[in-house]
Structures are given as C-alpha cells and as structure tokens.
Amino acid sequence: SIFIIGSSIDPMAATAEPGSLDNALAKPGLSRYILDLRTPPNHSPAANWLNRQRPMQANKYAFFRVHTVPAFDAVLFMSKGR
C-alpha cells in the first residue's frame, strides 16, 4: 500500500500564520518530528482541526489549502531556526 507523507520544511511567514498547518506544526517548539495522522481520535478537537481545510506551504513561492487527514498519512516537520 501507499503511505503519503506531507512536509513542512522551515515554513515561511506567509503560511506560518495563525490557523495554518505550518503554524500548528511549529507550536510544539521541536526542530524536527513526524506526526502520524492515520488514527486521530474520533471527534476530538485535534481530529476536527485536522479535517478542516488549512493553508500549507507548497514551496518557497506558493501555498495551497489542504484537508490534512484525508491528504496525508503523516506529516514531517523540520525547522532550521530552532
């Protein structure tokens, strides 16, 4: 089967705004981690947040809106600034 990993690598200010996926991934203050999204608790605040469309940095010049849980099995976060 296919396992899809999204990534947030050193997000830019444009997509690190409140409410974005990049902003939420930066909040724990860790320099790098992988978040497994395959089994979020049903009807929890986290599951509800992840199932909504959020902005996420696509590359250095653009962003896109994504429903995180249906789109990815996991998300890799890495920040150079920590």
Side-chain angles (χ1 to χ4, degrees), residues 34-53:
I34 295 177
L35 179 62
D36 186 345
L37 300 171
R38 292 173 291 177
T39 56
N42 290 331
H43 308 294
S44 71
N48 292 335
W49 194 93
L50 288 166
N51 278 306
R52 291 192 141 155
Q53 194 175 59

Side-chain angles (χ1 to χ4, degrees), residues 6-82:
S7 63
S8 177
I9 310 296
D10 205 29
M12 299 172 70
T15 58
E17 64 189 28
S20 72
L21 181 59
D22 297 304
N23 178 274
L25 293 170
K27 281 187 178 182
L30 303 171
S31 62
R32 59 185 160 275
Y33 64 92
I34 295 177
L35 179 62
D36 186 345
L37 300 171
R38 292 173 291 177
T39 56
N42 290 331
H43 308 294
S44 71
N48 292 335
W49 194 93
L50 288 166
N51 278 306
R52 291 192 141 155
Q53 194 175 59
R54 303 280 174 190
M56 182 179 186
Q57 183 173 322
N59 55 41
K60 294 282 183 198
Y61 309 104
F63 71 94
F64 62 99
R65 298 185 68 78
V66 63
H67 289 89
T68 312
V69 170
F72 306 120
D73 295 305
V75 178
L76 167 68
F77 177 80
M78 295 179 73
S79 176
K80 296 177 189 174
R82 298 190 203 269

